[in-house]
Amino acid sequence: MYAITGITGQVGGVVARQLLGQHKAVRAVVRDAAKGAQWVAQGCDLALADMNDADALERAFHGTQGVFILLPPTFDPGAGFPEARATIAAIRKALLAAQPRKVVCLSTVGAQASQSNLLNQLGLLEEALRDLPMPAAFLRAGWFMENALWDVAPARDGVMPSYLQPLDKPVPMVATADVGRVAAELLQEEWEGKRVVELEGPKRMTPNEVAACFGKLLGRDVAAQAVPRFTWADAFRAQGMRNPLPRMQMLDGFNEGWIEFEGGRAGSRKGVVELETVLRELIANRR
């Protein structure tokens, strides 16, 4: 039995489908039974647990061969990341009590960075789980290609605003399909101690190349346009954010190059899903 958190999202859903496709037993860990119904219909066991409820998580993780951990994203955190810290404490307590055979944790490129930024939350998760008594793997994924969902509408009008800059700087990107597939593979592998797996797509893409790919699929010219940094804070607050600085610092990290894999491009594992495949699907679903 494999317990999957975040199963209603993109990555967790891929992990579960990969395992089910290989006739493995899967336990869907969800907060809402209604959202878990589709997984029960596919043959999953169901465990109801909020990610801040250590006791419920312990029950969900008990007796499993492996657990996939996905920290719920907090894009507008309080100072010092109190939301993430509370959830991480609950996850750690549950894993120590339940003692699954292994843990695979979704992390991120740049989790090891010491500079303050939004991705520090996943660095805190790695730190908290690093001394677990069972084998644990931290899957550090690149920038999700699916983040381009928000670029579909402006691309239709011929312009793709970009916070990733310079526009000719390659960015380590990866499709969620690759992330979920590799996570499912790791859950079925055997190892001792802790390991870090860094994952990106077949090739790094620049914002200019992303815009060109949109143009190819939309049948029109699409140009990437850098969003001036001095406008970021007001733009993010207009979107409802109270504390945009960590998000801005994360973008700075990508742009300045200090958010990078520890092993660099040469040391990362490469996925197989191309950007064009992901953009085609995003365009089809965003009519």
Side-chain angles (χ1 to χ4, degrees), residues 8 55 76 86 92 112 124 158 160 189 222 248 256 281:
T8 59
D55 292 336
D76 189 18
R92 175 182 164 81
Q112 79 285 355
L124 292 170
M160 188 194 79
E189 294 177 5
V222 178
M248 294 168 62
E256 296 169 9
E281 184 174 350

Side-chain angles (χ1 to χ4, degrees), residues 11 15 31 35 41 48 70 80 83 97 99 138 174 188 204 263:
V11 174
V15 177
R31 290 182 300 172
K35 291 186 177 180
L48 295 178
L70 192 153
E83 305 88 352
Q99 293 286 305
F138 302 109
V174 67
Q188 298 174 80
R204 297 192 171 190

Side-chain angles (χ1 to χ4, degrees), residues 143-168:
W143 180 278
F144 284 177
M145 293 178 183
E146 284 79 4
N147 289 336
L149 174 66
W150 310 110
D151 299 322
V152 174
R156 291 186 193 279
D157 293 328
V159 176
M160 188 194 79
S162 179
Y163 293 95
L164 294 174
Q165 305 162 17
L167 298 178
D168 59 355

Side-chain angles (χ1 to χ4, degrees), residues 4-61:
I4 310 300
T5 65
I7 196 169
T8 59
Q10 293 184 87
V11 174
V14 174
V15 177
R17 286 190 291 272
Q18 289 282 325
L19 293 170
L20 290 170
Q22 297 171 53
H23 308 290
K24 306 296 182 182
V26 173
R27 179 175 294 157
V29 183
V30 297
R31 290 182 300 172
D32 184 348
K35 291 186 177 180
Q38 64 168 308
W39 294 104
V40 173
Q42 295 179 61
C44 292
D45 187 29
L46 187 68
L48 295 178
D50 185 278
M51 291 297 287
N52 286 324
D53 186 337
D55 292 336
L57 288 176
E58 177 190 346
R59 292 190 293 271
F61 299 161

Side-chain angles (χ1 to χ4, degrees), residues 4-7 11-12 51-52 57 61 67-75 77 81-92 103-108 118-129 139 144:
I4 310 300
T5 65
I7 196 169
V11 174
M51 291 297 287
N52 286 324
L57 288 176
F61 299 161
V67 174
F68 176 69
I69 295 293
L70 192 153
L71 183 69
T74 303
F75 298 110
F81 309 112
E83 305 88 352
R85 290 181 186 276
T87 306
I88 291 167
I91 291 169
R92 175 182 164 81
V103 178
V104 174
C105 173
L106 180 60
S107 187
T108 177
L118 190 64
L119 302 183
N120 291 153
Q121 296 172 90
L122 290 163
L124 292 170
L125 178 63
E126 287 194 17
E127 182 180 349
L129 304 189
L139 178 55
F144 284 177

Side-chain angles (χ1 to χ4, degrees), residues 171-193:
V171 179
M173 299 183 179
V174 67
T176 54
D178 275 330
V179 180
R181 174 182 55 79
V182 172
E185 292 172 358
L186 291 173
L187 281 168
Q188 298 174 80
E189 294 177 5
E190 298 296 331
W191 72 91
E192 298 295 329

